[in-house]
Amino acid sequence: MSSATTDRIRMLADELERAETDARPVQPLSERFPDLTEHDAYAIQDLTLRRRLAAGATVSGHKIGLTSEAMRRQLGVADPDYGYVLSSRVLRSGDRLAASGLIAPMIEAELAVELSRDLDAPVGVADVAAATAAVHASLEVIDSRVRDWRIRLVDTVADNASCARVVLGSATTTPPSLAAVELRLRRNGELVATGRGSDVLDDPLNAVVWLANTLHRFGRTVRAGQIVFTGSLHAAVPVAAGDTVEADFSGIGGVSLHLT
């Protein structure tokens, strides 16, 4: 990596951190720097994470994005992407979140897999199933620090896969087949989305397999006790101050969030 590229990575990490702190978006990275690569984008994400860890933050888990074929086609990529989840960004069902600290939030309902052991890659679905301590009903609040959600792959990867907050709800230690789980999502009591577990790479456990094997290539491991947010079962739903969102997952339970 050239010094110029290193300087650019540092500059863009600075920009995205300020954008999140100030809730003021930046112009798309992909438009300003057409030569920015996926490798560069993950380097920006990793630099931001290392800075936060150095400041005392801890990682609670991981999030996986672009698990739907439609979204991957839209961004012209073959694989999902990933980001990290800080412990300070984890909410509980029924919590309230101030929308004023966000830019353009949207909600995704997801199945979250809590692990009982490290996933020492390479792994398969049977390994992930054996390592699953619990499955949670969850919501992810996504928010783009890139103006107007004008994102390509490098934009969302550099922006920690557009993660803002996650919300944990009901959990089961004896989950049903995750591919068969059915979702109903309501905003202010109105049904706004439905989905099935099979909408996430055919089975959300496949998403965890992909993450563990991908991180392994970079010398990293998904650890026992961490939670993996496996990706949305539906198209993201915009939300604003005053909205209450409730998701119900068959065989698992529910989760809710109110935006103030």
Side-chain angles (χ1 to χ4, degrees), residues 55-140:
T58 58
V59 172
S60 178
H62 309 267
K63 68 145 290 181
I64 306 170
L66 305 181
T67 52
S68 78
E69 184 177 349
M71 280 301 299
R72 292 195 301 279
R73 281 201 307 267
Q74 180 178 327
L75 295 188
V77 296
D79 295 315
D81 68 350
Y82 65 84
Y84 55 87
V85 176
L86 297 179
S87 300
S88 60
R89 308 298 174 87
V90 180
L91 306 175
R92 298 291 168 178
S93 184
D95 279 354
R96 303 167 78 84
L97 175 64
S100 58
L102 304 171
I103 297 170
M106 294 195 277
I107 285 283
E108 296 181 339
E110 309 185 9
L111 293 168
V113 175
E114 182 176 354
L115 297 168
S116 61
R117 66 184 78 162
D118 294 354
L119 288 180
D120 295 315
V123 299
V125 170
D127 302 300
V128 173
T132 298
V135 176
H136 298 255
S138 74
L139 298 169
E140 182 181 357

Side-chain angles (χ1 to χ4, degrees), residues 191-255:
L191 184 66
V192 290
T194 61
R196 291 177 60 87
S198 57
D199 294 329
V200 177
L201 299 182
D202 297 325
D203 187 321
L205 294 184
N206 288 331
V208 184
V209 169
W210 174 84
L211 176 70
N213 292 334
T214 299
L215 290 180
H216 176 69
R217 297 203 299 268
F218 300 101
R220 297 168 60 188
T221 301
V222 184
R223 298 293 184 187
Q226 291 186 333
I227 299 176
V228 179
F229 296 83
T230 58
S232 182
L233 279 65
H234 61 93
V237 174
V239 289
D243 286 342
T244 296
V245 184
E246 302 166 293
D248 180 75
F249 297 83
S250 63
I252 296 175
V255 57

Side-chain angles (χ1 to χ4, degrees), residues 96-182:
R96 303 167 78 84
L97 175 64
S100 58
L102 304 171
I103 297 170
M106 294 195 277
I107 285 283
E108 296 181 339
E110 309 185 9
L111 293 168
V113 175
E114 182 176 354
L115 297 168
S116 61
R117 66 184 78 162
D118 294 354
L119 288 180
D120 295 315
V123 299
V125 170
D127 302 300
V128 173
T132 298
V135 176
H136 298 255
S138 74
L139 298 169
E140 182 181 357
V141 182
I142 59 172
D143 192 25
S144 184
R145 275 62 68 168
V146 175
R147 187 175 301 280
D148 300 326
W149 282 98
R150 298 203 317 271
I151 57 172
R152 303 299 297 168
L153 178 65
V154 294
D155 299 290
T156 185
V157 166
D159 193 24
N160 192 32
S162 305
C163 185
R165 302 289 191 280
V166 293
V167 189
L168 288 174
S170 300
T172 178
T173 57
T174 56
S177 165
L178 298 191
V181 169
E182 296 187 354

